[in-house]
Amino acid sequence: MQELIDMLNIPLGVILPIIAIELILLIMALVDCIRAEQTNGPKWLWILVIVLIEILGPVFYFVFGRKNR
Amino acid sequence: MSQLAIVWRKEMYEAWKNRRYIWLPLVFILIGVMEPVSTHFMPQILKMSGGLPPGTMIQIPTPSAASVFAKAEAQYSTLGLLVLVLAFMGSVSNERQHGVLELVMVKPVSYTAYVMAKWLAAGTLTFTALLLGDIASWYYTVQLIGRLALGPVLVSAVVYGLWLMLIVTLSMFFSIVFNSTSANAFISLVVAVILSVVAGVLKWQWSPGALPTHATDLVLQVDAKAGANTFSPSDMTFSIAVTAIIIVLLIVSSIGWFKRRTFA
């Protein structure tokens, strides 16, 4: 990762907020998913979706994965 | 009026509880920031991918700040709309299926207040997300590409927001008409596509589908480097008026359908 950042010569001030926002989305969805008693479909699948699909993964979980009451 | 406020507050609380209030603005910020960032780092990305044979001369003209912002904002018509429709597709039909609707409607809440409050809550969230996204996009454009005045950007966000609101209103309407959320999402998106294709192909500058173009033209117009300018205030006013009328008609027919369907 450090190599990549050096190679691209990315100033941290630019990239850090973006990484932070993506992390907030990911962690929020993960916490919600793990704490939920039940999800629509297998929980492990949703965890994979949240972690592996950038940005849209957490969105899909919040829209389709949550079981309201 | 107080009925409206109560249902509105209930809607906002629910949007907060299912985290819609956090993820929607965050996603809009991410979408808005992608274009300036990838434009800025394009030379490095090309160099790193190393796919170019030696001796190839590539000249990438530095795009103007206004055009980068315009491109970023245009993303809200694809990814942004998809995310919005996903967020609002079940607004009424889910409540009907889970029996929440009965719980709300036994209280002295009028149909009009219920539908209006839902619409206002959706509007609040849509405009919040779009404004935050556009401001983030503007900030990154200024930091990475070049100067760009904030004023036209904000006006453009409001015009663009009206286009998004049209589709959100449509999705609310279909949510009352259909029980199926996926049918609702699909039809809403198809209508959005048809509207913008029709506006583009037939050059109907007054139509709602031309609103995104007007919004980005508003920003491009500030920028002398962008060249040929197509911005026309009268076309924009016309298309704003037409869109506003359609939105009002949609809300009125939503209320009508809602009355007929709910306890029939």
Side-chain angles (χ1 to χ4, degrees):
Chain A
M1 192 65 190
Q2 187 56 46
E3 241 179 11
L4 187 79
I5 290 174
D6 289 344
M7 237 164 130
L8 282 171
N9 192 18
I10 297 175
L12 274 181
V14 168
I15 215 73
L16 225 48
I18 300 179
I19 295 178
I21 292 178
E22 287 202 29
L23 274 181
I24 292 172
L25 264 178
L26 185 124
I27 291 171
M28 214 172 61
L30 263 188
V31 168
D32 195 281
C33 181
I34 290 169
R35 282 176 62 187
E37 272 172 37
Q38 251 193 325
T39 50
N40 278 329
K43 206 181 248 198
W44 60 269
L45 192 66
W46 278 117
I47 293 178
L48 282 185
V49 167
I50 293 168
V51 175
L52 294 182
I53 307 177
E54 235 186 316
I55 305 176
L56 284 183
V59 171
F60 284 151
Y61 167 70
F62 278 116
V63 175
F64 300 109
R66 284 171 57 106
K67 211 166 208 158
N68 341 358
R69 54 226 109 226
Chain B
M1 227 41 209
S2 71
Q3 279 184 13
L4 193 76
I6 289 166
V7 185
W8 183 78
R9 232 175 290 149
K10 172 224 155 229
E11 277 301 306
M12 298 301 267
Y13 175 67
E14 213 169 88
W16 175 254
K17 227 177 50 184
N18 60 31
R19 299 285 179 274
R20 200 191 296 158
Y21 228 88
I22 306 175
W23 64 257
L24 198 67
L26 287 185
V27 169
F28 266 62
I29 290 173
L30 284 175
I31 297 174
V33 157
M34 286 308 161
E35 187 68 33
V37 169
S38 63
T39 310
H40 179 77
F41 291 113
M42 197 41 89
Q44 278 104 314
I45 293 169
L46 281 179
K47 208 199 294 168
M48 227 188 58
S49 62
L52 298 166
T56 319
M57 293 282 283
I58 36 163
Q59 283 194 321
I60 307 167
T62 324
S64 72
S67 68
V68 170
F69 176 83
K71 254 197 195 156
E73 198 175 45
Q75 295 294 317
Y76 294 129
S77 280
T78 48
L79 254 182
L81 257 188
L82 173 74
V83 172
L84 268 180
V85 168
L86 286 181
F88 293 117
M89 62 185 183
S91 58
V92 179
S93 51
N94 275 353
E95 288 199 345
R96 189 187 291 134
Q97 272 160 20
H98 291 290
V100 184
L101 210 51
E102 277 87 346
L103 287 180
V104 177
M105 298 317 288
V106 289
K107 304 208 172 84
V109 173
S110 72
Y111 299 103
T112 314
Y114 179 83
V115 172
M116 281 300 294
K118 271 214 176 286
W119 183 78
L120 280 176
T124 320
L125 185 51
T126 305
F127 274 98
T128 310
L130 181 66
L131 271 179
L132 288 177
D134 265 351
I135 289 173
S137 179
W138 168 79
Y139 180 77
Y140 265 76
T141 305
V142 169
Q143 293 298 318
L144 297 175
I145 315 285
R147 284 176 54 86
L148 183 65
L150 181 59
V153 164
L154 293 179
V155 180
S156 158
V158 173
V159 176
Y160 211 98
L162 196 66
W163 162 245
L164 297 183
M165 268 322 281
L166 175 67
I167 309 302
V168 168
T169 315
L170 201 72
S171 150
M172 190 182 79
F173 173 72
F174 285 136
S175 176
I176 290 170
V177 175
F178 302 127
N179 278 332
S180 154
T181 48
S182 42
N184 172 9
F186 181 73
I187 296 180
S188 302
L189 289 171
V190 166
V191 172
V193 170
I194 291 175
L195 280 178
S196 37
V197 167
V198 161
V201 172
L202 299 179
K203 301 216 163 27
W204 283 354
Q205 294 301 316
W206 50 267
S207 75
L211 271 182
T213 321
H214 293 315
T216 48
D217 278 353
L218 245 169
V219 176
L220 284 173
Q221 171 214 25
V222 198
D223 180 32
K225 250 166 75 184
N229 212 310
T230 47
F231 179 68
S232 143
S234 63
D235 276 345
M236 188 177 79
T237 318
F238 230 139
S239 113
I240 288 176
V242 172
T243 311
I245 292 170
I246 298 178
I247 289 181
V248 170
L249 287 178
L250 273 173
I251 294 176
V252 171
S253 35
S254 293
I255 296 171
W257 264 93
F258 189 57
K259 259 184 209 163
R260 273 206 303 158
R261 266 216 64 176
T262 310
F263 301 107

